[in-house]
C-alpha cells in the first residue's frame, strides 16, 4: 500500500484557508483508496502559541475536516490538531481517521519544544500510541519528538513497523531533520515518513524536505522545497524479511 505526505505552505492561524489548500493538493494528487495520507503538525494554523485562538472549538472543525476528507477520498488521513486542557494549556496532537470518517488514533506530542516556548503553552503527552493500517502497525510522532530515540524504541517494542513524524521543522536545522529521520529508520528497522511544512510564519522559514525512508535508511521520496504531495509504496513482507535477515532488534535491552 501507499503512504502520502502533503507538504504545504500553511496560512498563519487561518483554518479555512488551510483546509482549502489541503483539499486542492489532495484533489490533484488523487491518493489511492485505503492509503495513508499525512498532513503536517498544526497544519490548519501553523506553529502558534496562541492556544486560545487556534484550539478546536465546540464543533471540532479541524477534526471534522479530517474525518470528512478521509471519507470523501476513502483514505486513512492523519494530521495535526490543537485541543485545550482545563488549565488553559493546549495539547499538540496527531489524530488519524479511517475511510469511514471515524477517529482511529490520537497521540499527544511527548516532547513540547522547550527552546521555542512550547512547553509554556502546551502540556506534554504521556504515552506512545500505535494503530493498525493495512497490516502495518503505525506509530505517530510530532516534530521535536524526533530528537528523542527512546520514544521510538518504545514504539518498536509495541510492534511499530511504520513510524510517522509530522512537523514544522525550520530551515536552519533541516539537515538534522533529514539525518534523524534516516537514523530512526535504520536503528528501528522501520519505515519512517516525515511530513514538514514549507513557506514561512511570523518567526521562522521552512523548506519542507518531507521524506519517506526505507528500513535500510534509503530515501524513497523527497518533497524538496515547495508545496507538493509525495508518495511511496511500502512492503510489509520486505520489512519482515529484512528484520529476519538482520535481527538487530532481538538484541535490544530494556
Amino acid at each position: 500500500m501507499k503512504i502520502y505526505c502533503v507538504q504545504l505552505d500553511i496560512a498563519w492561524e487561518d483554518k479555512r484557508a488551510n483546509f482549502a489548500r489541503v483539499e486542492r493538493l489532495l484533489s490533484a494528487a488523487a491518493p489511492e483508496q485505503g492509503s495513508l495520507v499525512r498532513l503536517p503538525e498544526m497544519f490548519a494554523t501553523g506553529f502558534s502559541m496562541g492556544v486560545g485562538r487556534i484550539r478546536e472549538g465546540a464543533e471540532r472543525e479541524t477534526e471534522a475536516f479530517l474525518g470528512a476528507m478521509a471519507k470523501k477520498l476513502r483514505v486513512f488521513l492523519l494530521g495535526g490538531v490543537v485541543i485545550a486542557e482545563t488549565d488553559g494549556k493546549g495539547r499538540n496532537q496527531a489524530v488519524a481517521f479511517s475511510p469511514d470518517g471515524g477517529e482511529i488514533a490520537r497521540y499527544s506530542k511527548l516532547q513540547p519544544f522547550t527552546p521555542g516556548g512550547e512547553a509554556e503553552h502546551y502540556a506534554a503527552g504521556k504515552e506512545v500510541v500505535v494503530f493498525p493500517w493495512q497490516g502495518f502497525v503505525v506509530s505517530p510522532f510530532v516534530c521535536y519528538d524526533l530528537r528523542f530515540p527512546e520514544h521510538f524504541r518504545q514504539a518498536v517494542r509495541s510492534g511499530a513497523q511504520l513510524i510517522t513524524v509530522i512537523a514544522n521543522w525550520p530551515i536552519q536545522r533541516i539537515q538534522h531533520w533529514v539525518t534523524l529521520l534516516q537514523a530512526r529508520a535504520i536503528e528501528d528497522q522501520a519505515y519512517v515518513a516525515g511530513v514538514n511544512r514549507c513557506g514561512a510564519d511570523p518567526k521562522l522559514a521552512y523548506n519542507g524536505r518531507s521524506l519517506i525512508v526505507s528500513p535500510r535508511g534509503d530515501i524513497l521520496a523527497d518533497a524538496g522545497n515547495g508545496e507538493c504531495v509525495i508518495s511511496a509504496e511500502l512492503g510489509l513482507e520486505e520489512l519482515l524479511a529484512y528484520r529476519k535477515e538482520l535481527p538487530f532488534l532481538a538484541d535490544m535491552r530494556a
Side-chain angles (χ1 to χ4, degrees), residues 25 59 187 215-217 233:
L25 287 164
E59 296 180 354
E187 68 196 9
R216 298 177 185 269
E233 191 82 34

Side-chain angles (χ1 to χ4, degrees), residues 192-219:
V192 174
V195 59
N196 194 23
R197 68 160 294 176
C198 57
D201 65 23
K203 291 185 177 181
L204 296 166
Y206 305 85
N207 67 330
R209 294 299 307 277
S210 298
L211 299 177
I212 303 171
V213 185
S214 80
R216 298 177 185 269
D218 300 321
I219 294 175

Side-chain angles (χ1 to χ4, degrees), residues 169-180 182 209:
W169 197 287
I171 190 171
Q172 60 263 49
R173 294 184 292 277
I174 200 65
Q175 191 54 48
H176 294 185
W177 163 258
V178 172
T179 302
L180 290 170
Q182 290 181 285
R209 294 299 307 277

